[in-house]
């Protein structure tokens, strides 16, 4: 298990150093700010919807390594997916970081998300890991413009 743990840690560090989709979207149809006051993580998530398909997604902002790498993985995971699938993925990810259980996801689906299973051992970091997902959820639901984890 320790090899797997190292691999997960490297994946998180890599996404923190080189976040994917780390930019604004010129044609964004949704733009929502997310803030985690406990840690100081703050991000803006941009979504370009084409019907119910997430045509493009990006984010800007700053925070701890967990929050930034999670935002990066989130964008890479939901890009090109239908909003319904993205919401399902959020539910699964939320379960993963709160319980450490990979739940119903197949290994292939789980992919990068599994790197965050260790977060369940650090309850204070759950909000860091889920901030970008909560913000995406809000953007897709057309809810408020500012999301906070409090
Ligand atoms: Zn954080």
């Amino acid at each position: 298990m320790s090899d797997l743990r190292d691999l997960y840690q490297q994946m998180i560090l890599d996404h923190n150093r080189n976040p994917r989709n780390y930019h604004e979207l010129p044609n964004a149809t949704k733009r929502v700010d997310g803030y985690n006051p406990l840690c100081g993580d703050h991000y803006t998530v941009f979504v370009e919807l084409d019907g119910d398909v997430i045509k493009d997604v990006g984010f800007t902002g700053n925070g701890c390594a967990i929050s930034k790498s999670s935002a990066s993985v989130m964008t890479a995971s939901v890009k090109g997916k239908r909003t319904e699938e993205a919401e399902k993925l959020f539910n699964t990810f939320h379960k993963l970081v709160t319980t450490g259980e990979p739940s119903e996801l197949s290994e292939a689906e789980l992919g990068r998300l599994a790197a965050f299973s260790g977060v369940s051992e650090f309850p204070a970091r759950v909000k860091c890991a889920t901030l970008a997902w909560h913000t995406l959820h809000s953007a897709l639901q057309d809810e408020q413009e500012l999301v906070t984890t409090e």
Side-chain angles (χ1 to χ4, degrees):
M1 273 312 272
S2 76
D3 284 354
L4 192 61
R5 204 168 267 255
D6 286 352
L7 182 74
Y8 284 170
Q9 203 153 25
Q10 276 169 29
M11 201 184 295
I12 288 173
L13 291 176
D14 171 53
H15 274 271
N16 177 50
R17 265 195 303 263
N18 306 298
R20 320 298 195 264
N21 306 301
Y22 189 69
H23 51 77
E24 296 188 13
L25 297 187
N27 300 317
T29 48
K30 312 267 184 177
R31 176 210 158 111
V32 177
D33 295 322
Y35 178 49
N36 173 17
L38 274 187
C39 183
D41 312 316
H42 56 96
Y43 296 96
T44 303
V45 172
F46 302 85
V47 181
E48 184 182 349
L49 285 176
D50 181 8
D52 68 343
V53 172
I54 300 171
K55 192 174 163 197
D56 205 359
V57 55
F59 76 104
T60 59
N62 280 294
C64 66
I66 298 270
S67 66
K68 187 175 268 184
S69 58
S70 177
S72 168
V73 166
M74 180 277 283
T75 59
S77 301
V78 304
K79 201 171 182 173
K81 286 205 164 58
R82 295 178 49 218
T83 55
E84 195 184 309
E85 292 175 272
E87 296 283 10
K88 234 166 98 182
L89 215 50
F90 173 38
N91 287 334
T92 305
F93 182 73
H94 196 265
K95 208 181 285 177
L96 179 77
V97 295
T98 49
T99 68
E101 296 293 327
S103 81
E104 66 274 10
L105 274 191
S106 70
E107 239 170 88
E109 282 178 307
L110 197 58
R112 299 168 279 235
L113 299 184
F116 296 90
S117 56
V119 170
S120 62
E121 293 167 35
F122 308 95
R125 310 314 296 274
V126 167
K127 287 179 176 178
C128 302
T130 55
L131 176 61
W133 287 89
H134 278 295
T135 309
L136 173 76
H137 170 76
S138 181
L140 297 181
Q141 297 296 313
D142 235 343
E143 285 169 2
Q144 74 266 38
E145 306 266 295
L146 174 70
V147 178
T148 128
T149 54
E150 288 308 290

